[in-house]
Amino acid sequence: MQPIDLLLLKPMQPSVMEALGRRFTLHRADLAPDRDRFYAEIGPRIRAMATGAQAPVDADLLARLPRLEIVASFGVGYDTIDTGAAATRGIIVTNTPDVLTDEVADLALGLLLATVRQIPQADRYLRAGHWPKAPYPLTATLRGRQVGILGLGRIGRAIARRLDSFGVRIAYHGRRRQDDVAYAYHPTLLDLARAVDILMVVAPGGPETDGLVGADILDALGPNGILINVARGSVVDEPALIAALTAGTIHSAGLDVFAREPHVPAELAALDHLVLLPHVGSASIQTRETMGRLVVDNLTSWFSGNGPLTPVPETPWSPPPRGIQA
Ligand code: 8YV
């Protein structure tokens, strides 16, 4: 097989780089001193791209890659990829669903408990030698709570399953009611926020959810309210969240994602009762390796003529009818 030219916007984890390097001729945009020249020279040869959620793939970039067939993205969220432009050009986009569901749900539960019971703060208190002087101050509780899930997709459901065993009441909001679950459905996010005092954000990023959790939603959560976000920073109106936390409109927040990662607003970092994580939802060695393998397997499968393994719904793929050669 003739070597296939593959574009990387940024380096990926070593195991992925090695696996891709064995099968493809790699071209790294991040190493090119002159991007325009780089794309003018190699753009017309590129047939594949591997990328992560941090590097935008927009219509302008796709236009520089006239032979591009597939974009394999590392991660379940693909809000930085213009899938509409890809679909128009017949380009397949793949992501890495399922393989990270339980890992992210585990982290979400850990972040929830850490935030409610101030686990990192208690750890800091002990290490600072304060314990012999006084016991750690009493904290908020998960007991008697009502938890709302914004986005009952794969990860939202995995979070709900875990929460089931914590004896809290669960409700959700999403685009539609899901008939196979018994949790209370609220047709608007405001209704959900009024009914619960913990809101867990698990909805995908992108224009449809941009700034969805605004001042009104936070206000409705109330002074005991806790916001947990493991989805995308864009789903929450960050200035409104800062204002609500500073004013005590809600009690606390546990955040794994931010609007302009890796930049975290100083106002959030200054609030010691919050729990802030550097986007580590799926970041275990094992899960990241599995995600990386799925990126490579999608590309390998595509170029072996077997179609993509996990195409996103916006760029569906179906095998050509029998007897017709691609
Ligand atoms: C990824 C994520 O680790 O899957 C996602 O959507 O946000 C994370 O699990 C991240 O995209 C890495 O690039």
Side-chain angles (χ1 to χ4, degrees), residues 36-60:
D36 284 334
R37 212 171 131 193
F38 171 79
Y39 284 118
E41 269 170 27
I42 67 103
R45 301 209 306 268
I46 295 293
R47 294 175 61 196
M49 189 192 309
T51 186
Q54 286 76 21
V57 177
D58 56 20
D60 287 347

Side-chain angles (χ1 to χ4, degrees), residues 52-54 74-77 100 232 279 282 288 291:
Q54 286 76 21
F74 180 90
V76 67
L100 46 60
R232 285 291 181 265
H279 200 149
S282 66
R288 285 286 170 89
M291 290 163 65

Side-chain angles (χ1 to χ4, degrees), residues 11-51:
M12 301 180 76
Q13 65 194 31
S15 58
V16 177
M17 296 298 280
E18 278 161 32
L20 292 177
R22 281 197 295 274
R23 296 167 175 82
F24 300 95
T25 305
L26 306 188
H27 301 275
R28 292 216 3 217
D30 61 311
L31 297 181
D34 179 340
R35 290 281 163 92
D36 284 334
R37 212 171 131 193
F38 171 79
Y39 284 118
E41 269 170 27
I42 67 103
R45 301 209 306 268
I46 295 293
R47 294 175 61 196
M49 189 192 309
T51 186

Side-chain angles (χ1 to χ4, degrees), residues 197-222:
D197 49 14
I198 291 178
L199 183 63
M200 307 205 51
V201 180
V202 208
E208 271 184 53
T209 57
D210 195 33
L212 209 55
V213 180
D216 54 336
I217 305 298
L218 298 168
D219 201 37
L221 279 182

Side-chain angles (χ1 to χ4, degrees), residues 12 51-55 73-79 96 100 104 155 230-232 256-257 261 279-283 287-288 291:
M12 301 180 76
T51 186
Q54 286 76 21
S73 185
F74 180 90
V76 67
Y78 49 92
D79 46 302
T96 61
L100 46 60
V104 178
I155 297 174
V230 293
R232 285 291 181 265
D256 186 40
V257 289
E261 296 175 8
H279 200 149
V280 292
S282 66
T287 294
R288 285 286 170 89
M291 290 163 65

